Amino acid sequence: MFFLVLLFLSSKLFAQKFEGLALTPPMGWNSWNTFQTNIDEKLVKDIADVMVSSGMKDAGYSYIVLDDGWMAMERDKTTGNLVPDPKKFPGGMKALIDYVHSKGLKFGLYNCAGTKTCAGYPGTRGYEYQDARLYASLGIDYLKFDWCYTDGINAKEAYTTMSKALQTAGRPIVFSLCEWGSNKPWQWAAPVGHLWRTTGDISNLFDGILDHGNWQQQGIMRIVDSQDTIRKYAGPGHWNDPDMLEVGNGLTVAENRSHFSIWCMLAAPLIAGNDMRKMDEETKNILTNKEVIALNQDALGVEALKYSDKDSLQIWFKPLKDDNWGVCFLNRSSQPKQIEFNWQNELINDDLSKKELNAKTTTYKLRDVWLKKEIGDTKKSLKATIASHDVLVLTVNK
């Protein structure tokens, strides 16, 4: 008995992150993809208002995260604290956070494990505990922690230090590790944070690479290609993060739908990156489709497995609670694809979740979650034509 008590106390003593947070993938909005450092008080209030009025909040989006550029170029000379840029945020950060909270939303800020942020603002290196106290005093709910200006710094140690600092400050804060996957955080970050980036920055390319010379942005499909081998590391409270959404940022409607669908299938954080004040109905309908979002937010918390990959057509299966499934047929080619899927001839076994889909022994109902209608069951083969860069997403329910 003494040994068990000691073991319990030890686990509590060395726990680093706040438990019980992000039990489903976080949903929200981040300023970087559209605005970079061109952010201010009015933008944040406008986004908070639109998140409520557009139905985004009702669909599950709750975090508004200010990325790089919110602080002044120097710390306070007397206290050493980070200082919100007084030109961008004349009313102060606390009042702005209170405004966001008054809308029933949550608020996040950004900083960096290095000496500077990626845009050259003051980083957190050497100020971890001081910055954590500031964040707690402001009442933030989410911290995105980047990886620029970190030469000679050990990633696991740096992120662990910040995690402990947040724990010491006492306010439950979702900790998002933006380490770009360079040091394989999925192998060590589960006790440290609630989500971790698995790749470099995303771009609004459906596929390919956007080359900036000394750094690159990856197309959406390039990111997808690196996810299926690390699915075992994700789950409630500890998620693989393939970066923020580019829905509404220049993709076609089909590409927006595919991007959003596969992120939901991958149990990825759903952090919108568009200008919500200007989004059209098609973008809004994609981002707020509750049936697709339900795949992402499923309590089982298991990432989809890539079941098939042939001739630019991929089939992904996602185990869901109550022994149901989600399935995504993804057409990555530039041409339409005809599919015929005989449920009776396919046995889907997932070693990770220990779930099985066997249409020979169980008849499942099929529902198209984009069309929001029942389309039959697994007694008959599924036949469909999927447009270029588009998807067919179904729930497969007992």
Side-chain angles (χ1 to χ4, degrees):
M1 179 62 71
F2 175 77
F3 174 76
L4 291 176
V5 171
L6 185 62
L7 186 63
F8 173 78
L9 293 175
S10 296
S11 67
K12 292 296 183 182
L13 181 63
F14 292 104
Q16 291 152 9
K17 70 181 183 184
F18 283 97
E19 299 292 344
L21 301 180
L23 297 181
T24 58
M27 297 176 62
W29 175 89
N30 179 288
S31 57
W32 183 259
N33 283 3
T34 296
F35 300 99
Q36 288 79 53
T37 61
N38 299 311
I39 52 178
D40 58 26
E41 192 172 288
K42 183 179 184 306
L43 171 66
V44 176
K45 289 184 176 181
D46 286 349
I47 292 295
D49 293 344
V50 172
M51 188 174 279
V52 175
S53 65
S54 66
M56 292 282 284
K57 178 190 172 188
D58 184 58
Y61 297 86
S62 59
Y63 293 97
I64 290 180
V65 182
L66 266 185
D67 210 282
D68 207 348
W70 64 267
M71 68 285 277
M73 293 302 294
E74 294 183 0
R75 290 176 176 268
D76 185 284
K77 295 186 185 306
T78 302
T79 65
N81 281 337
L82 294 166
V83 180
D85 187 319
K87 293 182 179 179
K88 295 178 180 179
F89 305 99
M93 192 58 70
K94 183 67 169 68
L96 183 59
I97 294 170
D98 289 345
Y99 182 87
V100 171
H101 285 162
S102 76
K103 299 291 181 177
L105 301 169
K106 298 176 182 179
F107 192 88
L109 283 175
Y110 163 101
N111 210 299
C112 197
T115 54
K116 295 180 182 180
T117 70
C118 296
Y121 293 82
T124 288
R125 183 65 172 173
Y127 291 89
E128 289 85 356
Y129 284 83
Q130 182 168 351
D131 288 355
R133 289 193 295 270
L134 174 65
Y135 300 145
S137 70
L138 291 173
I140 76 167
D141 309 290
Y142 185 110
L143 177 65
K144 176 183 173 181
F145 209 54
D146 218 335
W147 187 238
C148 286
Y149 294 93
T150 53
D151 288 349
I153 299 176
N154 179 281
K156 183 177 180 180
E157 291 178 2
Y159 282 100
T160 298
T161 298
M162 193 66 217
S163 180
K164 290 179 177 179
L166 292 172
Q167 182 78 249
T168 300
R171 179 176 175 81
I173 292 173
V174 171
F175 189 32
S176 168
L177 287 69
C178 183
E179 187 269 350
W180 320 327
S182 302
N183 294 279
K184 300 182 179 180
W186 47 88
Q187 294 182 349
W188 50 261
V192 177
H194 303 90
L195 58 153
W196 47 80
R197 276 275 293 279
T198 57
T199 69
D201 285 358
I202 196 172
S203 74
N204 64 349
L205 296 176
F206 186 72
D207 206 349
I209 292 175
L210 190 59
D211 197 336
H212 300 278
N214 60 343
W215 68 288
Q216 296 178 330
Q217 289 177 268
Q218 298 184 51
I220 293 159
M221 292 297 105
R222 291 293 182 103
I223 290 177
V224 170
D225 287 340
S226 64
Q227 301 307 299
D228 63 304
T229 59
I230 58 173
R231 61 188 293 261
K232 68 180 181 180
Y233 297 102
H238 51 99
W239 305 103
N240 290 320
D241 177 11
D243 207 0
M244 300 169 287
L245 293 164
E246 289 282 11
V247 175
N249 286 344
L251 298 165
T252 68
V253 174
E255 289 168 349
N256 279 330
R257 186 164 44 242
S258 294
H259 176 22
F260 192 72
S261 297
I262 201 67
W263 256 236
C264 287
M265 293 290 290
L266 291 172
L270 298 180
I271 307 297
N274 61 317
D275 187 346
M276 290 195 297
R277 303 169 302 177
K278 300 177 180 179
M279 65 179 169
D280 57 28
E281 280 298 305
E282 288 175 327
T283 299
K284 184 177 77 170
N285 290 340
I286 288 171
L287 288 171
T288 59
N289 186 316
K290 292 183 180 179
E291 293 194 31
V292 183
I293 291 171
L295 297 174
N296 177 267
Q297 296 289 296
D298 182 75
L300 192 62
V302 177
E303 282 191 27
L305 63 96
K306 185 164 63 176
Y307 180 72
S308 175
D309 188 353
K310 184 179 180 181
D311 193 24
S312 298
L313 179 71
Q314 293 183 341
I315 306 175
W316 295 76
F317 277 90
K318 186 179 193 301
L320 306 174
K321 65 179 182 180
D322 300 325
D323 292 325
N324 296 321
W325 294 77
V327 58
C328 176
F329 297 85
L330 169 63
N331 179 10
R332 297 176 55 156
S333 79
S334 59
Q335 302 295 324
K337 290 283 184 182
Q338 291 185 337
I339 64 166
E340 182 172 355
F341 191 81
N342 189 330
W343 301 95
Q344 300 296 312
N345 293 341
E346 306 291 341
L347 177 63
I348 293 88
N349 272 305
D350 179 28
D351 292 336
L352 180 61
S353 65
K354 309 303 181 188
K355 301 290 185 180
E356 179 183 271
L357 193 165
N358 187 343
K360 284 186 175 180
T361 58
T362 304
T363 299
Y364 296 84
K365 297 177 182 177
L366 303 177
R367 181 173 176 83
D368 186 319
V369 294
W370 282 114
L371 295 181
K372 299 182 180 179
K373 70 175 186 179
E374 307 294 328
I375 63 165
D377 59 38
T378 54
K379 291 179 180 178
K380 296 181 179 179
S381 295
L382 174 69
K383 297 179 181 181
T385 299
I386 304 175
S388 170
H389 293 182
D390 211 342
V391 286
L392 172 63
V393 184
L394 311 174
T395 51
V396 185
N397 299 321
K398 282 188 172 182

